[in-house]
Amino acid sequence: MQRHARRRHFLMCPPLHFDVIYAMNPWMNVGVPVDRGRALAQWTTLVETYRRYGHQVDLLDPVPGLVDMVFAANGATVVDGKVLGARFASPYRQGEAEFHNAWHRAHHSAYALPGTSLTTAVAEPGAVNEGEGDFAILADRILAGYGFRTSREAHQELATLAGSQVVSLQLVDPRFYHLDVALAVLDDLAEHIAYYPPAFSPASQRTLQRLYPDAVIATEPDAVLLGLNGVSDGLHVFVPAGAGHLIEELGRAGYETIPIDLSELAKSGGSIKCCTQEIRPAPRRDPQRTS
Ligand code: ARG
């Protein structure tokens, strides 16, 4: 199958204050020291790689004390130029949302395409949602995770804001506490995904099997390496290094894989996608291609 890249716009936040000082997922161990210099070097490689592939990366200023702010995917969800603010489940991370909202308010006109009218800059969330950690945006529907962080009420809020169908999927394995560590969007327009079935309840596994019979299926070793926490532009998949079986399968499915090592950030349970918030301008079906 012929795959096509589309130029993306990302918001990222350097891990200048990154640390593991509390544990809210099984990857986090406060007894294991983090090497912040190494985290920054790995993260910088990711930013440079995105830019080398033609993607736009904007940066959010990190805030002292907000040690998980590098995981920018959690800070907001942008669909068709509409922003749903985040409301974090844990008090440790709640402070991040206002900095994301302020960034989006300040830059909103920059990603409103000419001729489109964006009425609300940032919709304040009523229910707990951890942004793109639990929302996967595809052309005709949004997949939304619940079970550990984001609530089902938030799925409805995003459905209403985006005017999209939302499919709720139940996460059941605490290691895969966010949707974006259990499932990756490979081609948002053609609706092609990869996922690790046992991360989902039996009913949600049946839903995924019915909707995406041609999905790439990850193995447990892939998932444990956070292999599904990748970012795809439709052709190039920026994928956590080491997820060997998944990388092979992606190649077979027509993608070019670019392995990136974010092992220092994995100490907090996050990798490539967690660090990457995508800003999707209106209209979503954007014909621009980078290759
Ligand atoms: N330590 C962070 C947390 O538990 C990691 C977040 C990773 N982000 C993601 N989109 N999965 O919230």
Side-chain angles (χ1 to χ4, degrees), residues 80-254:
D80 287 348
K82 298 171 192 162
V83 185
L84 177 64
R87 181 157 172 185
F88 286 85
S90 155
Y92 292 121
R93 296 198 64 188
Q94 270 164 17
E96 296 174 36
E98 64 174 289
F99 295 99
H100 279 267
N101 293 352
W103 190 92
H104 283 289
R105 283 193 196 100
H107 294 82
H108 201 239
S109 56
Y111 55 86
L113 292 187
T116 60
S117 58
L118 297 175
T119 44
T120 320
V122 176
E124 291 288 341
V128 168
N129 87 71
E130 295 201 350
E132 290 190 292
D134 279 316
F135 292 133
I137 317 297
L138 295 128
D140 294 322
R141 61 174 76 91
I142 294 172
L143 304 179
Y146 70 96
F148 296 101
R149 304 284 181 92
T150 298
S151 66
R152 294 197 71 168
E153 296 74 60
H155 298 181
Q156 208 36 58
E157 282 179 41
L158 185 62
T160 305
L161 181 74
S164 288
Q165 182 205 356
V166 170
V167 176
S168 295
L169 299 167
Q170 186 179 12
L171 296 163
V172 296
D173 182 332
R175 294 174 300 171
F176 310 114
Y177 57 95
H178 272 147
L179 183 67
D180 71 358
V181 287
L183 180 148
V185 176
L186 301 173
D187 186 331
D188 52 353
L189 298 186
E191 299 227 351
H192 193 218
I193 65 167
Y195 68 102
Y196 174 57
F200 297 90
S201 68
S204 295
Q205 288 184 39
R206 285 193 294 276
T207 301
L208 286 167
Q209 161 65 29
R210 177 171 53 77
L211 293 175
Y212 304 106
D214 66 341
V216 172
I217 301 298
T219 60
E220 185 173 21
D222 294 328
V224 167
L225 279 158
L226 298 177
L228 288 162
N229 200 242
V231 166
S232 173
D233 65 17
L235 169 63
H236 310 104
V237 186
F238 305 90
V239 59
H245 163 268
L246 179 64
I247 288 174
E248 236 169 70
E249 291 294 313
L250 292 173
R252 246 195 287 283

Side-chain angles (χ1 to χ4, degrees), residues 22 24-25 28 68 71 73-74 93 130 132-133 149 177-178 180-181 229 268-271 273-275:
Y22 48 78
M24 54 190 193
N25 70 52
M28 302 176 87
D68 269 332
F71 302 115
N74 299 123
R93 296 198 64 188
E130 295 201 350
E132 290 190 292
R149 304 284 181 92
Y177 57 95
H178 272 147
D180 71 358
V181 287
N229 200 242
S268 193
S271 190
K273 174 59 208 173
C274 299
C275 292

